[in-house]
Amino acid sequence: MALKSAMAVTGVILVLFLIAHMYGNLNAFAGQEAFDTYSHHLRELGEPMLPHGGFLWIMRVVLLASVLIHTYAAVALWRRAGRARPVRYQVTKRVQRSYSSYTMRYGGIMIALFTVFHVLHLTTNTIHPGGRSESPYERMVAGFQPEFWYVTLFYVAAVIAVGFHLRHGIWSALATLGINRQSRQRSLNIIATVIAAALTIGFLLTPLSVTFGLVE
Amino acid sequence: MNITLRVWRQKGPDDKGRMVTYKVEDVSPDMSFLEMLDVLNERLILEGEEPVAFDHDCREGICGACGVVIDGEAHGPETTTTCQLHMRSFSDGDTITVEPWRAKAFPVIKDLVVDRGAFDRIIQAGGYISAPTGTAPDAHASPVPKADADRAFDAATCIGCGACVAACPNASGMLFTAAKVTHLGMLPQGQPEREARVVQMVNQHDEEDFGGCTNIGECAAVCPKGIPLDTISQLNRDLLGSLSSGAAE
Ligand code: HEM
Ligand code: SF4
Ligand code: FES
């Protein structure tokens, strides 16, 4: 139970992060200056109370802690499920469960791997398809050029995986936190689907627009 | 109709077990699933073979003894108990796979019979109220709002069959536990132990090696008594409340 509450709470933190992050990414449509200023402001937030980049580092610590707790709880639940059914069924059938709920664990692994790649790509710029740059905007635009279609494809796949993960994850977190009632169950599921779909589409817009030349 | 059955045979708790195929002929569509197994067993006995052990008692859907997994679904293709499932839900020539509930907490005793004692221990841990002795109180001494009474009654219809565990990809027993927590938690008589009950029952549930709930909902979909999924959320609400108030001790 502690595990599940921890998953729900850290999951909510990560969803809030994704909403903010998507907003940041959509700045790409306002041009290089807006995007880079946004990135710059992230580092200035809280100054002079905090040192340069201080806010960002606090966020990074919170996010990393959330990811670690979330993953730890997920692995613990996965192992518990394995122990709870030592002999498997010969025939299994999904009665009502969604594709999302079915792929939570594998989707989670994929998203974790993607996040590592993604930070190496656009934050540290260790991986730099299309060349290094000081400007986050240029790094991004360079990476999603048509010749690096496989980079874009990986992003698209990861974002879709995030969408499925959130579809079940948001619903499950609400139920775990005790918010579900029979009369609300439909609405909660609709809310989860809408947030998941909005984030998926919002995240897809930026890289696809670069690849298809709408943003350069 | 003629049916091919693939049945799990396991001599005892320590046997490894395996699937065995049998042909069952001249099955009437009006037979219940258990009657079809009876037909098979009578033949096996005549042939000097060991009949297929399966659990059953009331055969009218109220005792909860008879559950098996049929073609991957707990209690089979209809939302009812195995004893209330009829052969008309299948077609002539079908191959039907029959397996016991599979969960560490429900060890197989023989063939399709499992030990659901873990459920009894969850009830012992907190599924009770302390009733004073003496004459029964007047029926109208503690009024209960209609909506609460209905909800308590709906939750109380759980027959402890274990289909929720069998269907759960995590082999979690949360729906069963939540049904009892909801049933007693909705009524005035259940209030004195309410905070301690939920903690004790969930602890016992975890000790019995059931898996953790991830809100997938297969349990409520197969439950023959239609225990609603939101009872689990109600349990979580009670649990979070009693853990944070520290009243659990
Ligand atoms: C496909 C759309 C995405 C694009 C175009 C994108 C773009 C970016 C960019 C440009 C940065 C660096 C910002 C800066 O340095 O100021 C960044 C940081 C980050 N992104 Fe994304 N991102 C996308 C999706 C995601 C997703 C789905 C996740 C989560 C799973 C994610 C997690 C992160 C994290 C954790 C950081 C911060 C790393 C740090 O500052 O330490 N991103 N992203
Ligand atoms: S909750 Fe439903 S499926 Fe689970 S034991 Fe009770 S009656 Fe059976
Ligand atoms: S035999 Fe009693 S419920 Fe099926």
Side-chain angles (χ1 to χ4, degrees):
Chain A
M1 184 61 204
L3 288 177
K4 292 198 46 210
S5 310
M7 276 194 97
V9 171
T10 53
V12 169
I13 295 176
L14 293 170
V15 172
L16 294 177
F17 159 74
L18 284 178
I19 294 174
H21 187 12
M22 180 186 81
Y23 166 75
N25 288 349
L26 291 177
N27 273 311
F29 293 101
Q32 171 161 15
E33 207 185 309
F35 193 85
D36 286 350
T37 316
Y38 179 83
S39 167
H40 190 66
H41 279 162
L42 282 180
R43 282 146 180 92
E44 283 179 342
L45 227 87
E47 276 183 57
M49 294 274 285
L50 296 169
H52 186 74
F55 170 80
L56 202 60
W57 276 106
I58 295 173
M59 287 308 293
R60 285 174 181 163
V61 171
V62 171
L63 286 177
L64 188 63
S66 300
V67 168
L68 291 179
I69 294 170
H70 196 81
T71 312
Y72 171 80
V75 170
L77 281 165
W78 195 347
R79 294 187 46 190
R80 240 184 94 183
R83 261 181 278 133
R85 178 160 294 139
V87 183
R88 296 183 146 235
Y89 287 112
Q90 311 262 336
V91 179
T92 50
K93 191 159 173 188
R94 291 188 225 157
V95 180
Q96 56 83 48
R97 70 179 304 188
S98 58
Y99 181 74
S100 298
S101 79
Y102 190 63
T103 51
M104 286 306 275
R105 287 162 183 162
Y106 310 103
I109 294 175
M110 167 152 174
I111 294 164
L113 294 177
F114 162 78
T115 311
V116 173
F117 168 80
H118 174 52
V119 169
L120 290 177
H121 173 206
L122 288 177
T123 304
T124 66
N125 213 208
T126 319
I127 302 170
H128 39 263
R132 283 172 186 284
S133 170
E134 282 307 303
S135 151
Y137 182 84
E138 283 173 8
R139 294 202 282 259
M140 179 186 72
V141 171
F144 294 137
Q145 286 310 312
E147 65 260 40
F148 303 115
W149 57 271
Y150 46 89
V151 173
T152 310
L153 191 68
F154 185 37
Y155 270 79
V156 169
V159 167
I160 291 175
V162 169
F164 279 115
H165 200 76
L166 294 184
R167 161 55 216 117
H168 182 74
I170 294 172
W171 142 254
S172 180
L174 295 172
T176 297
L177 295 176
I179 295 167
N180 183 30
R181 311 271 157 91
Q182 220 171 348
S183 55
R184 294 184 192 155
Q185 192 159 313
R186 243 180 85 83
S187 328
L188 293 184
N189 272 299
I190 293 173
I191 291 171
T193 310
V194 168
I195 298 180
L199 279 169
T200 309
I201 295 167
F203 271 116
L204 285 181
L205 281 177
T206 313
L208 289 179
S209 303
V210 174
T211 307
F212 293 103
L214 297 172
V215 168
E216 46 204 28
Chain B
M1 36 200 291
N2 296 324
I3 299 289
T4 307
L5 272 189
R6 292 176 63 226
V7 189
W8 181 257
R9 300 299 313 254
Q10 182 173 340
K11 292 201 179 76
D14 300 323
D15 183 20
K16 255 194 86 211
R18 75 226 145 267
M19 301 303 288
V20 178
T21 305
Y22 300 100
K23 294 245 183 269
V24 192
E25 272 147 25
D26 292 330
V27 175
S28 147
D30 295 330
M31 282 180 182
S32 75
F33 198 82
L34 298 187
E35 283 166 339
M36 184 274 297
L37 289 178
D38 290 337
V39 169
L40 169 66
N41 277 344
E42 279 165 18
R43 199 191 82 208
L44 290 179
I45 292 169
L46 283 180
E47 290 169 358
E49 276 188 60
E50 188 76 7
V52 178
F54 61 91
D55 209 352
H56 61 108
D57 186 22
C58 69
R59 296 209 176 195
E60 57 182 19
I62 56 173
C63 76
C66 59
V68 291
V69 171
I70 302 164
D71 286 340
E73 273 184 88
H75 290 305
E78 315 281 342
T79 317
T80 183
T81 55
T82 303
C83 58
Q84 291 295 300
L85 174 70
H86 290 85
M87 294 313 293
R88 53 179 164 271
S89 301
F90 302 89
S91 327
D92 188 27
D94 276 1
T95 299
I96 305 172
T97 305
V98 191
E99 299 177 75
W101 288 170
R102 297 219 186 265
K104 175 110 188 288
F106 289 162
V108 172
I109 300 173
K110 188 175 180 184
D111 296 338
L112 302 173
V113 182
V114 299
D115 175 2
R116 283 174 295 125
F119 270 4
D120 297 337
R121 293 185 290 275
I122 293 177
I123 296 292
Q124 280 162 7
Y128 52 79
I129 57 164
S130 29
T133 53
T135 33
D138 286 336
H140 61 310
S142 30
V144 184
K146 175 81 166 76
D148 291 1
D150 285 350
R151 177 138 171 102
F153 194 82
D154 285 348
T157 58
C158 166
I159 54 177
C161 65
C164 41
V165 177
C168 175
N170 299 305
S172 173
M174 243 342 124
L175 191 66
F176 167 80
T177 310
K180 194 47 64 184
V181 165
T182 302
H183 158 205
L184 298 176
M186 292 310 288
L187 297 174
Q189 292 84 346
Q191 297 314 308
E193 291 98 352
R194 181 167 178 176
E195 291 197 320
R197 171 183 308 118
V198 61
V199 176
Q200 288 162 0
M201 289 183 76
V202 170
N203 280 343
Q204 188 65 36
H205 167 278
D206 291 355
E207 259 169 51
E208 296 289 348
D209 284 328
F210 288 105
C213 169
T214 57
N215 301 302
I216 287 172
E218 294 290 88
C219 50
V222 300
C223 174
K225 297 296 151 181
I227 303 295
L229 189 58
D230 74 329
T231 55
I232 297 182
S233 217
Q234 180 159 348
L235 173 145
N236 289 337
R237 202 149 63 232
D238 275 15
L239 189 58
L240 292 173
S242 89
L243 291 178
S244 57
S245 74
E249 307 319 318

